Amino acid sequence: MLGTLTSLIEITQVSSQGFWLLLPTEELFLSFENFPWFKDVTIKELCEVEWPSEKHIYWPNLDIDLSIDSIRDPLAFPLQYKAKG
């Protein structure tokens, strides 16, 4: 069984609108509008990301697990977290 693919994933840029996630074959943008639970985290927390399987990304310190498909097409996954307030 293979371990976590941590060296193959990287956060490359963070802006006020979201951040870019670099994978070996593509770069994906996660907007804070579609993924609001990342908006108030530190850069350190954001960069502590793992790739436990081919189709999932995991932030262990934030307990956030996302499928690659939901990042590629967030509108195809209508059950989204809604921040209170």
Side-chain angles (χ1 to χ4, degrees), residues 3 5-6 10 16-17 19 22-23 26 43 48 50 53 71 73 79:
L5 305 171
T6 56
E10 181 180 355
S16 62
Q17 302 301 308
F19 62 96
L22 180 64
L23 303 173
E26 64 187 310
I43 297 295
E48 291 175 353
E50 298 176 358
S53 70
I71 298 170
D73 187 9
L79 296 176

Side-chain angles (χ1 to χ4, degrees), residues 4 6 9 21 38 45-53 55-68 71:
T4 302
T6 56
I9 185 169
L21 182 66
F38 292 110
E45 290 172 318
L46 191 61
C47 291
E48 291 175 353
V49 59
E50 298 176 358
W51 195 5
S53 70
K55 296 189 179 214
H56 285 89
I57 306 297
Y58 183 56
W59 285 262
N61 293 335
L62 302 172
D63 195 27
I64 297 172
D65 180 17
L66 297 175
S67 76
I68 298 285
I71 298 170

Side-chain angles (χ1 to χ4, degrees), residues 7-52:
S7 63
L8 302 176
I9 185 169
E10 181 180 355
I11 305 300
T12 58
Q13 184 176 348
V14 179
S15 74
S16 62
Q17 302 301 308
F19 62 96
W20 289 93
L21 182 66
L22 180 64
L23 303 173
T25 58
E26 64 187 310
E27 191 169 23
L28 302 168
F29 181 72
L30 288 83
S31 72
F32 295 137
E33 180 179 338
N34 289 326
F35 302 95
W37 47 90
F38 292 110
K39 188 173 184 175
D40 294 320
V41 304
T42 66
I43 297 295
K44 182 178 188 234
E45 290 172 318
L46 191 61
C47 291
E48 291 175 353
V49 59
E50 298 176 358
W51 195 5

